[in-house]
Amino acid sequence: MNPANGSCCVLIPCLNEERAIGGVVADALALGLPVIVVDDGSDDRTPEIVAALPVTLLRHAHRRGKGEALRTGFREALRIGYDSVVTMDGDGQHLASDIPAILEASRLYPGRIVIGARLLNREQQPTGRRRANAVADWGISWACACPIADTQSGQRLYPRAVLDLVDLPAEHFVFEAALLITACRERGIDVVSVPIASRYQGNFRLSHFKPVRDVTRITTYTIGRLIHYGSILASYRRSRATPTIIAH
């Protein structure tokens, strides 16, 4: 049976998150939301921990990257019939307690992408990461032709119209940038942000994001999209407006 109209699920892509995944999933379930977990070929206890919880668990036989994990989750959400998906990482840096504010922002601004933007406690961000995120916000907002706060956050609400972009030709971490750019440019979908805390302190595993490799991939894709859509100066001017941020 398909879920009722307006329904939302939580999607958690993960890879080797045995230290945190149980608590992350349990906190999401405590909100009363259905949860889809996509295990991207973990070789630790992650799938065993998740399998013991009342969630939909999908597994890749080998590692295929975050983009493909999200794509697998999107397809399952579309198959079941959800109207939107909230994504969050499995390492504990995203809190389920931020999801109600994200859902409320979606209610106030229906049809938009909602980003949990790491705007609070930014002093916790390593200087290099903060600078890299600022550059990414500048470039991806330009490619989107609209201002976006925290283009690198993995905690987002995607409406159905964005889930339908599941077959975009982009892989790994580029997929998340591609969703923003294509949704804004080709679907006319706006983006709003909800402030959440920056969390870089604690017992987190090393990031799967490789700065040189992944920044190069994202930059190359973004530049290509700018050239593809044209009107480069007009796009830049539109991207310099103030992002829509929903306080809570």
Side-chain angles (χ1 to χ4, degrees):
M1 179 181 296
N2 285 344
N5 290 336
S7 61
C8 178
C9 71
V10 176
L11 169 59
I12 306 173
C14 60
L15 170 62
N16 290 340
E17 304 289 10
E18 64 180 4
R19 288 186 295 182
I21 192 66
V24 171
V25 174
D27 288 346
L29 288 169
L31 296 175
L33 294 171
V35 176
I36 298 172
V37 177
V38 180
D39 176 69
D40 190 36
S42 293
D43 50 24
D44 66 357
R45 295 183 57 252
T46 296
E48 298 171 33
I49 294 169
V50 176
L53 298 169
V55 304
T56 298
L57 172 62
L58 306 174
R59 297 194 64 192
H60 292 166
H62 54 84
R63 297 178 189 179
R64 296 160 64 181
K66 187 178 184 183
E68 195 62 27
L70 288 170
R71 189 175 280 118
T72 295
F74 283 9
R75 287 181 176 138
E76 180 67 6
L78 288 168
R79 184 191 69 80
I80 296 173
Y82 292 114
D83 290 331
S84 61
V85 163
V86 174
T87 61
M88 57 188 294
D89 294 341
D91 63 356
Q93 292 196 50
H94 298 148
L95 298 184
S97 58
D98 289 321
I99 291 178
I102 292 172
L103 294 175
E104 176 62 12
S106 179
R107 186 188 69 80
L108 294 172
Y109 295 87
R112 299 194 188 190
I113 295 171
V114 182
I115 294 179
R118 297 162 295 179
L119 302 176
L120 308 177
N121 308 119
R122 298 188 75 177
E123 66 277 2
Q124 292 193 26
Q125 293 184 358
T127 301
R129 179 61 64 87
R130 185 164 59 247
R131 289 173 178 169
N133 287 346
V135 171
D137 289 352
W138 174 77
I140 293 174
S141 293
W142 189 356
C144 291
C146 70
I148 299 174
D150 200 356
T151 59
Q152 299 304 290
S153 174
Q155 191 167 32
R156 307 177 179 181
L157 181 145
Y158 294 110
R160 175 66 181 249
V162 179
L163 301 182
D164 287 338
L165 297 173
V166 64
D167 292 319
L168 273 176
E171 304 299 331
H172 305 288
F173 289 97
V174 178
F175 184 65
E176 290 175 293
L179 287 170
L180 290 177
I181 295 169
T182 307
C184 291
R185 288 287 200 159
E186 299 183 15
R187 297 290 174 91
I189 296 171
D190 291 327
V191 180
V192 301
S193 296
V194 172
I196 64 173
S198 301
R199 302 181 185 95
Y200 288 88
Q201 297 179 0
N203 191 27
F204 301 128
R205 55 104 178 113
L206 292 176
S207 174
H208 298 304
F209 186 89
K210 305 300 182 185
V212 174
R213 180 196 66 189
D214 293 313
V215 167
T216 299
R217 286 171 172 171
I218 293 170
T219 300
T220 300
Y221 179 87
T222 301
I223 292 172
R225 291 290 86 190
L226 269 170
I227 295 170
H228 171 77
Y229 292 119
S231 302
I232 293 175
L233 291 179
S235 297
Y236 180 77
R237 286 193 293 269
R238 290 198 295 271
S239 74
R240 295 306 91 195
T242 302
T244 303
I245 299 174
I246 315 300
H248 63 93

